[in-house]
Amino acid sequence: MNLIKPRDEIVPVFHDDNPQVLGGKLIRHWDDSQDAVVTEEVLNELSPEQIELLRRGVSGGAFATASGIYTANQLDVYDATQLAFAYLADTVKIAMYTNSIAAMSYYTDTVQTAAPYNANEVSGTGYTAGGYTMANKTLTQSPNGTVMFDNTVDPNWTITGSFATAARGAVVFDTTIASALFCAINFGSDYNVTNGTFTIQLNSLGLVTILFAA
């Protein structure tokens, strides 16, 4: 018998229809009867309705559970539609939303002026309805093989009092091309402020970094 017995290992498995959603797990463990490592697959059981939601890219009746890019618009940039997305030249804004926003879809939503984005935006004295204008945008290849969309100043608002309802996330959109949606950021929790500055601290990899070549 092999005296070196590896520890049990659990590996997450994600859904083919939506790689952001955990679909189950692989459990690898030592089986003495076989004198070998055995792999067992345990899948989460989903209803037909849940599977359909995964296919549509719908997060449910709250802010999208993960940050992401609106792929329908990205596709239109490259296909025959030729969506004229000029990140540096266009007016690009970022608006914050509460967790009461209706179901969002990265796959089918295209404009910020339509549902569900026309409701449940954060409000409060000092917050700019319709979003913060990003006036310090940069577009760089950093690191090599990637394209990073960034803004060198973190979006911020000086708030008197507090938001009527806490912010759960933010949506980035281009007002030059009919408020076309670009990406969304989930804060991970609800956040508020009392008589102070609310700042969205952007990731060191910017708003979005797209890998084109390793």
Side-chain angles (χ1 to χ4, degrees):
M1 177 179 288
N2 192 335
L3 296 179
I4 302 176
K5 300 179 181 180
R7 296 179 179 178
D8 289 358
E9 180 183 13
I10 299 177
V11 180
V13 176
F14 295 89
H15 279 285
D16 292 337
D17 292 317
N18 188 335
Q20 297 173 342
V21 177
L22 186 64
K25 58 190 174 183
L26 294 178
I27 302 175
R28 299 190 180 110
H29 61 89
W30 183 264
D31 188 327
D32 283 330
S33 66
Q34 300 182 50
D35 195 24
V37 173
V38 175
T39 299
E40 175 187 2
E41 185 174 22
V42 180
L43 297 178
N44 295 337
E45 296 205 6
L46 296 177
S47 68
E49 292 79 11
Q50 290 172 315
I51 292 172
E52 179 59 25
L53 288 178
L54 287 174
R55 290 188 177 131
R56 291 166 50 200
V58 176
S59 68
F63 202 92
T65 54
S67 303
I69 299 175
Y70 290 93
T71 54
N73 283 338
Q74 288 300 301
L75 181 62
D76 283 347
V77 170
Y78 300 105
D79 68 13
T81 306
Q82 294 290 285
L83 181 66
F85 176 54
Y87 180 71
L88 295 181
D90 292 353
T91 299
V92 178
K93 294 187 176 185
I94 181 168
M96 293 195 294
Y97 289 85
T98 74
N99 205 34
S100 296
I101 190 171
M104 299 165 57
S105 173
Y106 290 129
Y107 304 160
T108 58
D109 294 350
T110 57
V111 295
Q112 185 265 350
T113 51
Y117 309 96
N118 54 1
N120 294 298
E121 186 179 357
V122 163
S123 63
T125 302
Y127 175 78
T128 308
Y132 172 98
T133 299
M134 294 194 295
N136 304 92
K137 302 187 298 296
T138 60
L139 184 63
T140 57
Q141 183 177 193
S142 177
N144 288 339
T146 69
V147 173
M148 182 171 72
F149 299 79
D150 199 9
N151 195 69
T152 57
V153 175
D154 289 335
N156 63 89
W157 298 264
T158 300
I159 305 301
T160 301
S162 300
F163 298 137
T165 305
R168 171 55 68 96
V171 170
V172 179
F173 55 100
D174 187 335
T175 62
T176 303
I177 47 174
S179 295
L181 294 163
F182 178 46
C183 67
I185 304 169
N186 187 309
F187 297 159
S189 298
D190 290 336
Y191 288 94
N192 212 325
V193 63
T194 301
N195 295 320
T197 301
F198 189 100
T199 302
I200 301 175
Q201 186 173 2
L202 300 179
N203 190 282
S204 60
L205 293 176
L207 280 168
V208 168
T209 292
I210 301 175
L211 175 65
F212 286 96

